Amino acid sequence: MRAIPRRTSEPWRVGVLFSRSGCTSVIEETQLRGTLLAVEEINASGGIHGREVVPIVYDPASDPGLFASCAKRLMVENGVTTIFGCYTSSSRKAVIPVVERLNGLLWYPTPYEGFEFSPNVIYTGPAPNQNSVALCRFLMQHYGSRFYLIGSDYVYPRESNRVMRELVRDNSGSVVGETYLSLRAQHRDFLPVLCEVRRLQPDVIFSTVVGESTACLYQRYSDTGLDPRRMPIASLTTSEAEVMAMGADVGQGHITAAPYFESVRTPANSSFVACYRKRFGNDQPTNMCAEAAYFQVHLFAKALAEANSLETDILRSAVLGLEFDAPQGRVSVNETYGHADLWTRIGRVDSRGGFEVIEQSRAQVRADPYLIESGRAL
Ligand code: ACM
């Protein structure tokens, strides 16, 4: 159903919720940048039906409770229906009841643990079948089958580690240890963990540590004298932004699975990287979360151009099935799950803090958030 177009020059107001302070602000700040860059591009080319897109931006300070109250404020006080936002799964899970109750649409640009569906969310980061499965296969082929799991203590790490544990065990591997630390863990907190790793000598450390403490983990690993050529840290979230925070020398040799790295060679990426660096500083790399934040706003603009309405039910049906030439390659929104079909890549940190792509899918991988179609075979 299409809305009857109204003649107006009123802007399209949208909400934006990424943290500019707190323990996950380093990566969320880049998601804010990706969002604003796309909004600026859309407005520079005339807006949507001649109307500007105007973002209303709040800082939820890496606090899930604040994410929920900011989402409510956006919808109730600012009259917004579409919200771009959230990095941690705990912030997404805090915002979902708000958008479900008030019938809003949350656009979520972050890798997550899967096993979720909401008619009020469009997921543009990868689910486990788009990153964990390929990563597990790669690690078993190249390093071995004894895994040590370490994560921050909240839903994404615990659930992603559960998926990884099942993948490892179903493919004749073993999990030799598993540890969780606070999202605010410091250098000293990682010392006992790395002592245990040295004692157990796994083939690989699978890390779901996120936020500021990511740098602490990799720096402690480096101080302990472990060798990424023999026992790398493998992650789904450590991107160019986290490597910049820890130092390229510390990150070099470690592995990440993601749909996007700055080094991806597509025409859309050359333009994205050039515009991002021009806008935010030549020393500021792009990363998978900034890229998803960027392309989801362009997908939104395509859907809005078709729907000419921000009403959630109308906009969502215009989004499903849409395609876009994103920096990572062509992506589309999967009609079954409202998740994006994305590329799968394995990257290794190089000496300059970028990622060398060492494996990639031949085409986009269909989102299968419940691992129904792909199963657990590698
Ligand atoms: C995450 O919490 N989904 C990174």
Side-chain angles (χ1 to χ4, degrees):
M1 188 182 50
R2 261 170 168 264
I4 299 162
R6 285 189 301 137
R7 279 190 180 279
T8 172
S9 56
E10 277 282 292
W12 304 103
R13 287 196 181 78
V14 296
V16 180
L17 290 183
F18 294 113
S19 304
R20 309 199 72 182
S21 53
C23 63
T24 50
S25 58
V26 167
I27 189 71
E28 292 194 51
E29 179 82 40
T30 74
Q31 292 180 302
L32 176 61
R33 290 174 173 180
T35 304
L36 297 180
L37 183 62
V39 167
E40 287 163 12
E41 287 176 357
I42 290 155
N43 289 338
S45 63
I48 310 295
H49 296 294
R51 298 169 61 185
E52 248 195 319
V53 177
V54 171
I56 301 174
V57 181
Y58 292 134
D59 172 11
S62 309
D63 175 343
L66 276 179
F67 269 92
S69 55
C70 289
K72 191 167 169 198
R73 188 166 157 207
L74 279 169
M75 295 196 68
V76 174
E77 290 177 29
N78 303 113
V80 153
T81 47
T82 276
I83 299 174
F84 302 102
C86 299
Y87 176 76
T88 62
S89 291
S90 28
S91 64
R92 184 191 71 255
K93 285 192 182 287
V95 166
I96 286 177
V98 178
V99 289
E100 288 189 344
R101 196 166 58 245
L102 299 172
N103 200 23
L105 195 58
L106 172 69
W107 298 69
Y108 179 61
T110 308
Y112 91 109
E113 62 280 3
F115 296 88
E116 188 179 283
F117 170 82
S118 168
N120 296 88
V121 182
I122 300 291
Y123 302 77
T124 58
N129 81 297
Q130 296 166 306
N131 54 13
S132 300
V133 172
L135 181 61
C136 185
R137 182 173 51 234
F138 174 85
L139 295 170
M140 283 189 152
Q141 274 170 1
H142 295 276
Y143 295 97
S145 59
R146 298 176 69 251
F147 283 46
Y148 187 95
L149 312 185
I150 176 165
S152 304
D153 197 2
Y154 73 101
V155 59
Y156 157 74
R158 286 199 176 262
E159 280 298 294
S160 295
N161 285 354
R162 177 185 62 76
V163 171
M164 185 57 82
R165 194 184 318 117
E166 288 176 10
L167 289 170
V168 169
R169 288 190 184 154
D170 286 3
N171 292 281
S172 311
S174 59
V175 172
V176 298
E178 184 164 348
T179 304
Y180 294 90
L181 290 147
S182 155
L183 254 173
R184 285 160 193 80
Q186 303 289 311
H187 283 99
R188 63 175 176 276
D189 302 313
F190 288 96
L191 195 56
V193 185
L194 287 162
C195 287
E196 190 184 40
V197 166
R198 277 178 83 117
R199 186 174 60 76
L200 293 169
Q201 288 293 311
D203 297 317
V204 59
I205 303 170
F206 176 60
S207 166
T208 47
V209 171
V210 308
E212 273 171 13
S213 54
T214 306
C216 302
L217 165 66
Y218 286 72
Q219 283 165 349
R220 261 296 177 232
Y221 173 105
S222 171
D223 298 343
T224 317
L226 293 165
D227 183 355
R229 284 171 302 189
R230 289 189 30 241
M231 185 208 296
I233 302 176
S235 164
L236 308 170
T237 52
T238 300
S239 73
E240 290 82 347
E242 285 80 7
V243 174
M244 193 158 98
M246 70 183 72
D249 55 328
V250 168
Q252 189 175 2
H254 293 295
I255 306 287
T256 295
Y260 171 87
F261 297 107
E262 192 183 49
S263 56
V264 164
R265 293 209 182 123
T266 63
N269 192 37
S270 307
S271 154
F272 173 56
V273 171
C275 294
Y276 188 96
R277 286 183 178 256
K278 183 160 178 245
R279 174 74 171 79
F280 302 110
N282 207 29
D283 58 342
Q284 297 298 309
T286 58
N287 66 69
M288 62 173 119
C289 294
E291 189 250 4
Y294 170 81
F295 82 69
Q296 71 172 12
V297 176
H298 279 290
L299 272 171
F300 156 80
K302 266 184 108 166
L304 182 58
E306 187 183 317
N308 200 18
S309 167
L310 283 175
E311 205 182 297
T312 292
D313 298 347
I314 299 174
L315 188 62
R316 182 181 166 90
S317 43
V319 177
L320 297 180
L322 267 193
E323 293 190 329
F324 181 70
D325 282 321
Q328 67 181 269
R330 177 157 293 200
V331 298
S332 43
V333 183
N334 179 311
E335 297 185 44
T336 318
Y337 297 113
H339 285 56
D341 296 342
L342 301 168
W343 294 72
T344 295
R345 294 184 166 95
I346 309 282
R348 183 186 285 125
V349 181
D350 64 24
S351 58
R352 290 173 323 206
F355 283 82
E356 179 198 355
V357 176
I358 44 183
E359 241 186 58
Q360 66 177 15
S361 55
R362 275 198 277 271
Q364 46 174 242
V365 177
R366 188 177 145 76
D368 178 20
Y370 293 90
L371 287 173
I372 292 168
E373 296 156 30
S374 31
R376 284 161 178 72
L378 297 180

